[in-house]
């Protein structure tokens, strides 16, 4: 297959996922067209529309999705997102990222993702509870410990996961249902370390990548200048952990804007300020900046930890960071990838960088099935082992792809990216299992 080097940008996330996938395929020989179609498209998409009693006694109908992208390597796995702009295509793309991520980091899951179109900022706790319970009831046996296992994502949290578990458990009495969902509170089968796992995984992956000496003069995080876009579960925790690891957090942002300080922000103080005011803007001791300024901030590492398609052809040229670490899913468009590559900016892709979340979700699932509770040392040790292995494999594959002339022959004159390398590994692992299991009948 021949892919042109200059991609036309498409801000539809599934179109982007397809462009990334097709680009990676140019390094792989011998996969049949039918398998390629099977590997990119979702296996199943469920739409549900359901009524909910609102606090003002009105009734509103909500629209939710659950996409099971692929379950060839194990049950579907992936978060549930509450956001006003959730679409079927976005959820399908996020589910595809999960299929590839679980393969790269080698946990025995496939990929899934869900979403409900709603604005949590305008909903009360009671309304969110009723939306969640009804959504789970509508999905019925489409989710389950051995079929498809949800987790937290944007604007869903431990409490949402507790409601999901409780609703499913009421529908399936007499069984151990803890493993139907991960990211639960500790008291009902959550795993220690799950809350921090995505950010912890990002930190471990970044440290391991730097040890490979891929960025001249930056082998550790010591006094490395970091900017973080998004100050939620992934972003705020990443800012704190990178700070604790010796980096200097020079700028952070959320949906309302950002704040910067070249001498370094204290992420805990910023979080306290956000807790009080609802935003990082206005943090005393920092200077308010816009999200565009944050992305273009003079720093060494940029961590997008908000939403998808944030780094595009219209702003990729402005980026000054030497390394991008994708805590968010799909933050860089496929066309922007080419610009970053031309600018020699390395990008650790989402399917490696933020895979710590699904790794510790896997640990939680195992503990639930065995009625075990691991301690934090065991979780952290095992997480580090898997993150190190995923990064080592990706870097080795990247070097090997760049040493071969195959990409050049297919029009990729600048060679392979780390994303290409991770995707090649994922596609090969999944295709191998498809053939091993054989196609029935
Ligand atoms: P979250 O809801 O906890 O936080 C999202 C943050 O992004 C909020 O601070 C919000 O204000 C900010 N934000 C929203 N729009 C923004 C914009 N346009 N510019 C700047 N900031 C903006 O969500 P999260 O769980 O931290 O997820 C963030 C990203 O990380 C998503 O892409 C998600 O898919 C990915 N992710 C999360 C996990 C997890 O375990 N939570 C795991 C893997 C990947």
């Amino acid at each position: 297959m021949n892919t042109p080097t200059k991609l036309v940008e498409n801000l539809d996330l599934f179109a982007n996922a397809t462009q990334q996938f097709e680009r990676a395929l140019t390094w792989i020989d011998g996969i049949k067209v039918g398998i390629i179609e099977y590997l990119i498209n979702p296996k199943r998409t469920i739409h549900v529309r359901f009524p909910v009693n609102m606090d003002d006694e009105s009734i509103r109908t909500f629209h939710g999705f659950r996409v099971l992208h692929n379950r060839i390597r194990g049950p579907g796995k992936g978060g549930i997102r509450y956001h006003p702009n959730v679409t079927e295509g976005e959820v399908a793309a996020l589910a595809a990222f999960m299929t590839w991520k679980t393969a790269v980091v080698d946990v025995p899951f496939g990929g899934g993702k869900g979403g409900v179109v709603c604005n949590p900022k305008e909903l009360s706790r009671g309304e969110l509870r009723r939306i969640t319970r009804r959504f789970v009831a509508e999905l019925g046996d489409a989710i389950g410990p051995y079929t498809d296992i949800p987790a937290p994502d944007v604007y869903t949290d431990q409490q949402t996961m507790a409601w999901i578990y409780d609703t499913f458990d009421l529908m399936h009495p007499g069984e151990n249902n803890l493993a139907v969902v991960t990211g639960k509170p500790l008291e009902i089968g959550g795993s220690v370390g799950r809350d921090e796992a995505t950010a912890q995984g990002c930190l471990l992956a970044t440290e391991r990548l730097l040890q490979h000496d891929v960025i001249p003069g930056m082998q550790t995080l010591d006094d490395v200048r970091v900017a973080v876009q998004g100050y939620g579960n992934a972003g705020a925790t990443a800012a704190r952990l990178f700070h604790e690891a010796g980096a200097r957090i020079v700028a952070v942002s959320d949906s309302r804007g950002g704040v910067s300080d070249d001498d370094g922000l204290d992420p805990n103080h910023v979080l306290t300020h956000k807790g009080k005011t609802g935003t990082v803007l206005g943090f005393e001791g920092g200077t308010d900046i816009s999200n565009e300024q944050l992305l273009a901030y003079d720093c060494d590492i940029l961590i997008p930890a908000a939403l998808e398609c944030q780094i595009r052809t219209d702003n990729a040229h402005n980026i000054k960071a030497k390394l991008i670490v994708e805590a968010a899913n799909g933050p860089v468009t496929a066309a922007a990838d080419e610009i970053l590559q031309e600018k020699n900016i390395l990008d650790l892709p989402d399917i490696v960088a933020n895979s710590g979340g699904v790794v510790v979700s896997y640990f939680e699932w195992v503990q639930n099935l065995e009625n075990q509770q691991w301690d934090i040392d065991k979780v952290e040790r095992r997480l580090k082992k898997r993150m190190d292995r995923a990064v080592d494999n990706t870097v080795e594959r990247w070097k090997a792809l760049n040493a071969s002339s195959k990409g050049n022959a297919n029009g990729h004159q600048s060679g392979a990216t780390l994303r290409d390398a991770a995707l090649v590994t994922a596609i090969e692992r999944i295709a191998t299992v498809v053939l091993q299991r054989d196609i029935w009948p």
Side-chain angles (χ1 to χ4, degrees), residues 7 45 107 116 131 225 238 256 258 293 299 344-345 379 391 403 439:
L7 284 175
T45 302
V107 289
V116 176
I131 290 170
R225 296 164 306 153
R256 314 241 295 259
Q293 286 174 307
C299 61
N344 233 350
I345 297 172
V379 170
V391 171
I439 293 166

Side-chain angles (χ1 to χ4, degrees), residues 81 83 94 98 101 113 121 151-156 194-195 197-199 229-236 253-257 274 278 291 304-308 310 326-331 354-358 361:
R81 172 176 290 199
H83 197 274
L94 293 166
M98 288 306 295
K101 192 182 303 180
K113 205 83 180 189
K121 288 183 181 169
D153 194 73
V154 174
Y155 296 135
T156 58
R194 173 61 186 89
D195 251 4
T198 303
Q229 185 203 36
Y231 219 63
N233 177 305
S253 72
D254 61 28
S255 58
R256 314 241 295 259
K274 185 173 164 74
N291 255 304
L307 295 172
E308 50 283 342
Q310 295 298 301
E326 297 185 0
N329 285 306
N354 71 33
S355 62
V358 76
S361 273

Side-chain angles (χ1 to χ4, degrees), residues 128-344:
L128 285 169
R129 176 170 50 79
R130 294 192 289 279
I131 290 170
T132 304
R133 288 190 180 279
R134 183 64 190 245
F135 181 46
V136 173
E138 295 285 343
L139 290 177
D141 284 334
I143 60 168
Y146 299 103
T147 48
D148 188 6
I149 305 145
D153 194 73
V154 174
Y155 296 135
T156 58
D157 56 17
Q158 283 192 356
Q159 179 58 72
T160 327
M161 302 306 114
W163 290 326
I164 293 175
Y165 163 67
D166 186 70
T167 310
F168 188 87
D169 189 58
L170 290 170
M171 290 161 60
H172 300 80
E175 295 167 33
N176 171 11
N177 294 308
L178 286 173
V180 66
V181 62
T182 58
K184 301 181 291 297
L186 273 184
E187 295 76 5
I188 44 170
S191 176
V192 287
R194 173 61 186 89
D195 251 4
E196 296 192 338
T198 303
Q200 178 89 31
C202 269
L203 173 69
L204 292 168
T206 307
E207 288 181 324
R208 190 68 170 194
L209 182 69
L210 296 182
Q211 283 167 16
H212 281 276
D213 207 8
V214 290
I215 298 177
M218 213 206 293
Q219 276 98 359
T220 71
L221 283 174
D222 204 24
D223 209 31
V224 159
R225 296 164 306 153
V226 176
V228 183
Q229 185 203 36
Y231 219 63
N233 177 305
T237 316
R240 177 168 60 77
L241 295 178
F242 275 71
H243 170 75
E244 286 168 8
R248 194 164 17 126
I249 310 300
V250 290
V252 300
S253 72
D254 61 28
S255 58
R256 314 241 295 259
V259 63
S260 69
D261 181 355
D262 284 335
D263 293 332
L265 298 158
D266 182 325
N268 289 320
H269 292 167
V270 177
L271 193 61
T272 307
H273 172 81
K274 185 173 164 74
K276 282 188 197 143
T277 63
T279 174
V280 300
L281 271 177
F283 175 69
E284 209 177 307
T287 308
D288 283 353
I289 56 171
S290 67
N291 255 304
E292 277 313 301
Q293 286 174 307
L294 179 122
L295 292 175
Y297 207 80
D298 189 7
C299 61
D300 302 304
I301 299 180
L302 172 63
I303 306 181
L307 295 172
E308 50 283 342
C309 298
Q310 295 298 301
I311 299 173
R312 304 174 298 263
T313 50
D314 62 337
N315 60 13
H317 286 289
N318 303 332
I319 289 178
K320 298 184 188 67
K322 302 180 184 89
L323 171 66
I324 294 175
V325 176
E326 297 185 0
N329 285 306
V332 179
T333 67
D337 261 343
E338 294 187 341
I339 297 172
L340 298 179
Q341 201 182 5
E342 279 164 18
K343 283 174 57 96
N344 233 350

